[in-house]
């Protein structure tokens, strides 16, 4: 199970690793967008992919536990339940040079308008 004690699950790799995200509201949320996109990009590079996806990378499968509060919880909820949000993170991972513009257009502006 996800107790954090089993060293391997035999399919996706280590499952005794936790990913913790603290709070901080929208500022934390934005920071986690960048962190997750960066992790996804690195994972993609390791696999030789220029347009990494969560499904192909298995990135989130590496964590047995994800612990969050406040802005981190908001981020994980979007990541878990919004295909549109996951696609945005994947696009930012593929095109980090325009991350600000992508995030602003797809995420910030809809909240403001």
């Amino acid at each position: 199970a996800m107790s954090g004690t089993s060293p391997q699950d035999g399919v996706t790799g280590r499952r005794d690793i936790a990913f913790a995200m603290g709070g901080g509201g929208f500022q934390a949320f934005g920071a986690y967008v960048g962190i997750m996109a960066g992790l996804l990009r690195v994972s993609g590079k390791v696999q030789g992919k220029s347009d990494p996806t969560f499904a192909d990378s298995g990135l989130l499968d590496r964590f047995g536990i994800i612990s969050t509060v406040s802005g981190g919880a908001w981020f994980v909820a979007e990541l878990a339940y919004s295909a549109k949000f996951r696609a945005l993170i994947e696009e930012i991972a593929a095109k980090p040079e325009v991350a600000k513009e992508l995030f602003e257009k797809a995420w910030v502006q809809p909240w403001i308008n």
Side-chain angles (χ1 to χ4, degrees):
M2 300 227 278
S3 67
T5 58
S6 64
Q8 298 236 338
D9 72 359
V11 177
T12 58
R14 296 184 63 94
R15 296 289 299 202
D16 59 347
I17 299 171
F19 193 72
M21 293 180 225
F26 192 78
Q27 185 176 6
F29 181 92
Y32 295 129
V33 167
I35 291 167
M36 191 61 69
L39 288 171
L40 185 58
R41 182 167 178 84
V42 169
S43 179
K45 281 189 171 193
V46 167
Q47 296 174 342
K49 297 181 179 186
S50 61
D51 57 345
T53 66
F54 286 108
D56 290 342
S57 72
L59 177 63
L60 298 177
D61 295 333
R62 297 170 187 246
F63 304 108
I65 298 171
I66 297 177
S67 177
T68 66
V69 297
S70 188
W74 180 20
F75 173 80
V76 169
E78 291 295 333
L79 195 61
Y81 297 109
S82 173
K84 183 178 177 182
F85 185 70
R86 283 190 304 277
L88 172 62
I89 302 297
E90 292 169 350
E91 187 174 11
I92 290 171
K95 303 173 190 171
E97 65 281 357
V98 293
K100 176 186 177 283
E101 293 82 2
L102 291 169
F103 185 69
E104 196 169 286
K105 180 181 177 186
W107 197 254
V108 175
Q109 288 303 319
W111 281 97
I112 294 173
N113 295 329

